[in-house]
Amino acid sequence: RGRMPAWVKDLRGVGLMNAIEVQPDVGIAAWDICMRLKENGLLAKQTHDHTIRFAPPLVITEEQVRECCKIILNTLDSFV
C-alpha cells in the first residue's frame, strides 16, 4: 500500500487488471477520481460508486506503467 491515502479501502487485481476501492463514507466518489485521472492524462473506469478499474493495454512498457503509477498517486494525493 505504501503511499495510498487512508481513505483508500482496498487495492486488488491480477497482473495489469487492477482496481482501487475508496471508503464509501469519505465523500469522494470513484467518478470524481476518474475525471481527475482523465485531466491528468490517464483513463480509468468507475465501477460501482466506490471502485476504480484499470485495464492498460497488453503492449504497455515498464516506463509507461511507472508513469501511470505516478499519475495515480499524484491524483489521489490531490484529493487530500
Side-chain angles (χ1 to χ4, degrees), residues 31-73:
W31 175 259
D32 297 328
I33 297 170
C34 287
M35 291 297 101
R36 191 150 321 155
L37 284 166
K38 180 182 171 190
E39 291 169 8
N40 294 336
L42 182 66
L43 295 177
K45 182 179 184 338
Q46 171 208 357
T47 305
H48 310 293
D49 289 334
H50 303 288
T51 304
I52 303 158
R53 184 173 65 190
F54 299 94
L58 296 176
V59 294
I60 194 167
T61 66
E62 182 178 346
E63 182 181 342
Q64 290 168 324
V65 170
R66 291 183 186 280
E67 180 62 26
C68 291
C69 290
K70 287 179 190 175
I71 291 171
I72 293 166
L73 289 172

